[in-house]
């Protein structure tokens, strides 16, 4: 049993598919930024929060100075040439035990985060999955026995599955340090992994944005 | 490996800037605020700014300066961290030894500061601290050491850049863009800072 020591929110990326000219986590959904929503659900369940910044870092730093003075901002000046996994690993510096890694463009229901953080205590690594719904999903192949706890056996972009990779994972601080490309690729050698369901919505494309607006009304 | 912590004083350990407090007692708050702002932004060199501040505040009797400085509040979490680790912590300040002596003696750690002497007519600046040099000296004095630096202004940049881990601290006001650019972390709260220091 090892409780989650801290959360690392990766918010350094360009968010180029939305073409907003600002980090995706600074998007306001119903008057509150995605980042503020994420911090609000996390701070009730994890002792410390690290936010990794890069692209237009001044926007996020100012936002945290005004509204979230208790978070640690970790700078990744190499954000243009490094991937999300590198940002996450950089963000986990100063955390020694179990870390919850999340993308900064997620809207998550508090109940499912609470459940995930509780379950994360029980295994070295816990993989977050969600019901498949996004346009460019990375599907997760899961064990089909409904009597057993959910287990992830593989990732696929081609074969549609009921679940997709949620861009949330709990594990040791160096969990994704070896990833050359996408975060989930660092997890492939560790499969099969225990998984837990998250009720969330990711914002990658303009159509995700519309979905996100209706999602926040449901949580 | 041993870790050393180097803290800026004004606006990092103290919850207000020291010299503007004295200036407001003298009725030159606006002038000092302008000088502080352009110094923090790096528009004039720290050394030039210190000479001007020396000229302005050097006219105040030293006892008066000390009593004003003694009343300046410290960030409780940071002051507590330093008092608990007096051997590993250092105050690294461009401020003058003759002014801040009584304030830093409350903390019980060693201090690197700029130096001044009282001449016949006025206070004379004799040494302006280069904060980057302090880091190099500390590294030279002990073989295997890791240095964490915490500061907010343009004159902290050499210290933040030379340290193994630089933290831009925005407890009083946002760190200057130059300090942020030289840092690995940005933190806005004393407790959050000290929790990070303990974990690093």
């Amino acid at each position: 049993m090892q409780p989650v020591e801290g959360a690392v929110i990766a918010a350094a990326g360009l968010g180029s598919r939305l073409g907003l000219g600002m980090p995706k986590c600074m998007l306001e959904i119903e008057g509150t930024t995605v980042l503020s929503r994420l911090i609000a659900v996390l701070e009730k369940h994890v002792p410390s929060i690290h936010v990794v910044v890069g692209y237009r870092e001044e926007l996020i730093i100012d936002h945290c100075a005004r509204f979230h003075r208790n978070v640690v901002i970790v700078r990744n000046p190499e954000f243009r040439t490094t991937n999300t996994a590198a940002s996450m690993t950089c963000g986990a510096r100063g955390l020694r035990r179990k870390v919850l890694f999340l993308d900064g463009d997620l809207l998550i229901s508090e109940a499912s985060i609470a459940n995930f953080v509780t379950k994360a205590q029980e295994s070295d690594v816990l993989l977050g999955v969600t019901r498949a719904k996004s346009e460019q999903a990375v599907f997760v192949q899961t064990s089909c026995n409904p009597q057993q706890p959910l287990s992830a056996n593989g990732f696929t972009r081609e074969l549609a599955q009921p679940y997709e990779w949620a861009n949330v994972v709990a594990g040791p601080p160096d969990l994704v340090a070896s990833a050359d490309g996408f975060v989930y690729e660092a997890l492939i050698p560790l499969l099969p992994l225990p998984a837990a369901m998250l009720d969330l919505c990711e914002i990658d494309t303009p159509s995700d944005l519309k979905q996100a607006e209706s999602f926040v009304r449901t949580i | 490996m041993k870790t050393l912590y180097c803290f800026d004083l004004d606006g990092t350990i103290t919850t207000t800037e020291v010299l503007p407090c004295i200036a407001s007692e003298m009725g030159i708050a606006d002038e000092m605020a302008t000088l502080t702002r352009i110094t923090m932004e790096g528009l004039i060199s720290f050394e030039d700014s210190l000479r001007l501040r020396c000229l302005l505040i050097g006219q105040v009797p030293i006892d008066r300066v000390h009593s004003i400085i003694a009343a300046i509040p410290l960030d409780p979490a940071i002051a507590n961290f330093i008092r608990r680790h007096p051997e590993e912590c250092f105050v690294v300040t461009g401020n003058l030894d003759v002014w801040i002596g009584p304030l830093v003696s409350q903390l019980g750690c060693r201090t690197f500061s700029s130096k001044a002497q009282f001449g016949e007519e006025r206070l004379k600046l004799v040494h302006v601290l280069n904060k980057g040099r302090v880091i190099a000296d500390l590294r030279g004095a002990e073989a295997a050491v890791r240095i964490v630096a915490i500061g907010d202004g343009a004159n902290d940049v050499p210290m933040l850049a030379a340290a193994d881990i630089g933290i831009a601290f925005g407890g009083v006001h946002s760190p200057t863009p130059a300090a942020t650019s030289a840092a690995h972390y940005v933190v806005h709260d004393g407790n959050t800072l000290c929790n990070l220091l303990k974990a690093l």
Side-chain angles (χ1 to χ4, degrees), chain A residues 104-124:
Chain A
D105 58 0
L106 302 175
L107 296 161
I108 312 184
S109 84
E110 193 188 328
S112 71
I113 272 288
N115 175 54
F116 193 88
V117 168
T118 306
K119 281 195 176 157
Q121 296 182 43
E122 295 158 16
S123 50
D124 291 341

Side-chain angles (χ1 to χ4, degrees), chain B residues 173-191:
Chain B
H173 48 69
S174 288
T176 58
T180 297
S181 297
H184 298 97
Y185 297 90
V186 184
V187 179
H188 295 100
D189 167 76
N191 275 313

